[in-house]
């Protein structure tokens, strides 16, 4: 199956912390019931995205599916749409 064969590439990240950096604003939206973004991932996130903003919604890993209205509002506020 094509997707199954691509999982290692999909899950990989080609850069080490400090090798590349985006210095513009970045938004991360975390589900409070998900451990995907946690105390261990914050330092690498900051290394790649020093101006990141982290928002948390009462949701699982699929925040956009669990809280679509709140997710949309956070994204619109971040990009400056009314």
């Amino acid at each position: 199956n094509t997707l199954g064969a691509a999982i290692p590439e999909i899950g990989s990240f080609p850069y080490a912390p400090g090798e590349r950096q985006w210095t513009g604003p970045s938004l991360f939206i975390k589900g409070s019931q998900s451990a995907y973004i946690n105390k261990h991932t914050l330092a690498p996130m900051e290394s790649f995205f020093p101006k990141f903003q982290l928002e948390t919604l009462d949701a699982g890993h699929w925040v956009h599916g669990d809280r679509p209205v709140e997710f949309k509002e956070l994204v619109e506020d971040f990009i400056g749409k009314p």
Side-chain angles (χ1 to χ4, degrees):
N1 112 12
T2 303
L3 184 57
I7 291 295
E9 183 65 27
I10 292 169
S12 70
F13 193 74
Y15 305 111
E19 189 176 349
R20 296 277 195 274
Q21 192 176 70
W22 167 253
T23 58
S26 302
L27 175 64
F28 289 83
I29 304 174
K30 170 189 176 15
S32 62
Q33 300 163 32
S34 171
Y36 193 77
I37 296 176
N38 58 59
K39 65 181 181 179
H40 304 291
T41 59
L42 291 176
M45 285 169 52
E46 188 169 17
S47 173
F48 288 109
F49 307 99
K51 295 181 183 174
F52 83 92
Q53 172 184 335
L54 177 62
E55 299 291 342
T56 303
L57 293 176
D58 182 20
H61 178 69
W62 298 99
V63 183
H64 60 289
D66 292 345
R67 298 284 183 203
V69 172
E70 295 91 336
F71 181 88
K72 180 178 176 262
E73 289 172 353
L74 287 173
V75 172
E76 287 180 340
D77 288 346
F78 180 76
I79 62 175
K81 283 190 171 181

